[in-house]
PDB file of all heavy atoms in Angstrom:
ATOM      1  N   ASP V 360      83.402  58.286  39.107  1.00  0.00           N
ATOM      2  CA  ASP V 360      82.943  57.320  38.115  1.00  0.00           C
ATOM      3  C   ASP V 360      81.733  57.827  37.328  1.00  0.00           C
ATOM      4  O   ASP V 360      81.281  57.160  36.393  1.00  0.00           O
ATOM      5  CB  ASP V 360      82.568  55.984  38.778  1.00  0.00           C
ATOM      6  CG  ASP V 360      83.761  55.304  39.416  1.00  0.00           C
ATOM      7  OD1 ASP V 360      84.898  55.532  38.966  1.00  0.00           O
ATOM      8  OD2 ASP V 360      83.558  54.543  40.381  1.00  0.00           O
ATOM      9  N   ALA V 361      81.191  58.969  37.699  1.00  0.00           N
ATOM     10  CA  ALA V 361      80.069  59.540  36.983  1.00  0.00           C
ATOM     11  C   ALA V 361      80.524  59.928  35.580  1.00  0.00           C
ATOM     12  O   ALA V 361      81.561  60.580  35.406  1.00  0.00           O
ATOM     13  CB  ALA V 361      79.519  60.753  37.715  1.00  0.00           C
ATOM     14  N   GLY V 362      79.792  59.483  34.585  1.00  0.00           N
ATOM     15  CA  GLY V 362      80.142  59.778  33.204  1.00  0.00           C
ATOM     16  C   GLY V 362      79.486  58.779  32.278  1.00  0.00           C
ATOM     17  O   GLY V 362      78.531  58.094  32.647  1.00  0.00           O
ATOM     18  N   ILE V 363      80.019  58.676  31.075  1.00  0.00           N
ATOM     19  CA  ILE V 363      79.433  57.800  30.064  1.00  0.00           C
ATOM     20  C   ILE V 363      80.350  56.605  29.811  1.00  0.00           C
ATOM     21  O   ILE V 363      81.542  56.769  29.551  1.00  0.00           O
ATOM     22  CB  ILE V 363      79.196  58.577  28.763  1.00  0.00           C
ATOM     23  CG1 ILE V 363      78.214  59.718  29.016  1.00  0.00           C
ATOM     24  CG2 ILE V 363      78.675  57.651  27.661  1.00  0.00           C
ATOM     25  CD1 ILE V 363      78.038  60.663  27.860  1.00  0.00           C
ATOM     26  N   PHE V 364      79.759  55.418  29.911  1.00  0.00           N
ATOM     27  CA  PHE V 364      80.460  54.175  29.607  1.00  0.00           C
ATOM     28  C   PHE V 364      79.955  53.667  28.262  1.00  0.00           C
ATOM     29  O   PHE V 364      78.748  53.613  28.027  1.00  0.00           O
ATOM     30  CB  PHE V 364      80.173  53.121  30.691  1.00  0.00           C
ATOM     31  CG  PHE V 364      80.862  53.400  31.993  1.00  0.00           C
ATOM     32  CD1 PHE V 364      80.312  54.304  32.901  1.00  0.00           C
ATOM     33  CD2 PHE V 364      82.048  52.765  32.324  1.00  0.00           C
ATOM     34  CE1 PHE V 364      80.935  54.565  34.108  1.00  0.00           C
ATOM     35  CE2 PHE V 364      82.681  53.021  33.521  1.00  0.00           C
ATOM     36  CZ  PHE V 364      82.127  53.919  34.416  1.00  0.00           C
ATOM     37  N   ARG V 365      80.879  53.320  27.365  1.00  0.00           N
ATOM     38  CA  ARG V 365      80.511  52.797  26.042  1.00  0.00           C
ATOM     39  C   ARG V 365      81.270  51.491  25.788  1.00  0.00           C
ATOM     40  O   ARG V 365      82.441  51.373  26.142  1.00  0.00           O
ATOM     41  CB  ARG V 365      80.870  53.779  24.929  1.00  0.00           C
ATOM     42  CG  ARG V 365      80.137  55.064  25.006  1.00  0.00           C
ATOM     43  CD  ARG V 365      80.345  55.986  23.815  1.00  0.00           C
ATOM     44  NE  ARG V 365      81.717  56.083  23.350  1.00  0.00           N
ATOM     45  CZ  ARG V 365      82.088  55.927  22.080  1.00  0.00           C
ATOM     46  NH1 ARG V 365      81.208  55.642  21.139  1.00  0.00           N
ATOM     47  NH2 ARG V 365      83.338  56.053  21.741  1.00  0.00           N
ATOM     48  N   PHE V 366      80.608  50.555  25.176  1.00  0.00           N
ATOM     49  CA  PHE V 366      81.219  49.270  24.825  1.00  0.00           C
ATOM     50  C   PHE V 366      81.629  49.305  23.363  1.00  0.00           C
ATOM     51  O   PHE V 366      80.899  49.794  22.513  1.00  0.00           O
ATOM     52  CB  PHE V 366      80.239  48.120  25.061  1.00  0.00           C
ATOM     53  CG  PHE V 366      80.806  46.789  24.685  1.00  0.00           C
ATOM     54  CD1 PHE V 366      81.772  46.181  25.473  1.00  0.00           C
ATOM     55  CD2 PHE V 366      80.391  46.154  23.537  1.00  0.00           C
ATOM     56  CE1 PHE V 366      82.313  44.960  25.126  1.00  0.00           C
ATOM     57  CE2 PHE V 366      80.922  44.925  23.176  1.00  0.00           C
ATOM     58  CZ  PHE V 366      81.883  44.331  23.968  1.00  0.00           C
ATOM     59  N   ALA V 367      82.822  48.766  23.070  1.00  0.00           N
ATOM     60  CA  ALA V 367      83.302  48.699  21.692  1.00  0.00           C
ATOM     61  C   ALA V 367      83.928  47.337  21.455  1.00  0.00           C
ATOM     62  O   ALA V 367      84.580  46.779  22.330  1.00  0.00           O
ATOM     63  CB  ALA V 367      84.334  49.798  21.447  1.00  0.00           C
ATOM     64  N   LEU V 368      83.714  46.815  20.268  1.00  0.00           N
ATOM     65  CA  LEU V 368      84.396  45.582  19.897  1.00  0.00           C
ATOM     66  C   LEU V 368      84.837  45.671  18.449  1.00  0.00           C
ATOM     67  O   LEU V 368      84.311  46.443  17.655  1.00  0.00           O
ATOM     68  CB  LEU V 368      83.532  44.340  20.138  1.00  0.00           C
ATOM     69  CG  LEU V 368      82.243  44.146  19.370  1.00  0.00           C
ATOM     70  CD1 LEU V 368      82.517  43.379  18.075  1.00  0.00           C
ATOM     71  CD2 LEU V 368      81.278  43.337  20.207  1.00  0.00           C
ATOM     72  N   SER V 369      85.865  44.912  18.128  1.00  0.00           N
ATOM     73  CA  SER V 369      86.352  44.878  16.751  1.00  0.00           C
ATOM     74  C   SER V 369      86.768  43.446  16.438  1.00  0.00           C
ATOM     75  O   SER V 369      87.014  42.641  17.338  1.00  0.00           O
ATOM     76  CB  SER V 369      87.510  45.852  16.557  1.00  0.00           C
ATOM     77  OG  SER V 369      88.548  45.570  17.435  1.00  0.00           O
ATOM     78  N   ASN V 370      86.850  43.158  15.150  1.00  0.00           N
ATOM     79  CA  ASN V 370      87.284  41.820  14.750  1.00  0.00           C
ATOM     80  C   ASN V 370      88.600  41.924  14.004  1.00  0.00           C
ATOM     81  O   ASN V 370      89.135  43.023  13.805  1.00  0.00           O
ATOM     82  CB  ASN V 370      86.198  41.102  13.935  1.00  0.00           C
ATOM     83  CG  ASN V 370      85.926  41.772  12.617  1.00  0.00           C
ATOM     84  OD1 ASN V 370      86.705  42.572  12.113  1.00  0.00           O
ATOM     85  ND2 ASN V 370      84.789  41.452  12.022  1.00  0.00           N
ATOM     86  N   SER V 371      89.130  40.808  13.592  1.00  0.00           N
ATOM     87  CA  SER V 371      90.446  40.776  12.978  1.00  0.00           C
ATOM     88  C   SER V 371      90.512  41.537  11.656  1.00  0.00           C
ATOM     89  O   SER V 371      91.586  41.952  11.228  1.00  0.00           O
ATOM     90  CB  SER V 371      90.886  39.325  12.766  1.00  0.00           C
ATOM     91  OG  SER V 371      89.913  38.641  12.009  1.00  0.00           O
ATOM     92  N   SER V 372      89.380  41.778  11.014  1.00  0.00           N
ATOM     93  CA  SER V 372      89.397  42.553   9.770  1.00  0.00           C
ATOM     94  C   SER V 372      89.293  44.058  10.033  1.00  0.00           C
ATOM     95  O   SER V 372      89.237  44.849   9.108  1.00  0.00           O
ATOM     96  CB  SER V 372      88.261  42.099   8.844  1.00  0.00           C
ATOM     97  OG  SER V 372      87.019  42.406   9.400  1.00  0.00           O
TER      98      SER V 372
END
Side-chain angles (χ1 to χ4, degrees):
D360 296 333
I363 299 172
F364 287 82
R365 296 187 317 130
F366 178 73
L368 64 90
S369 58
N370 65 17
S371 56
S372 66

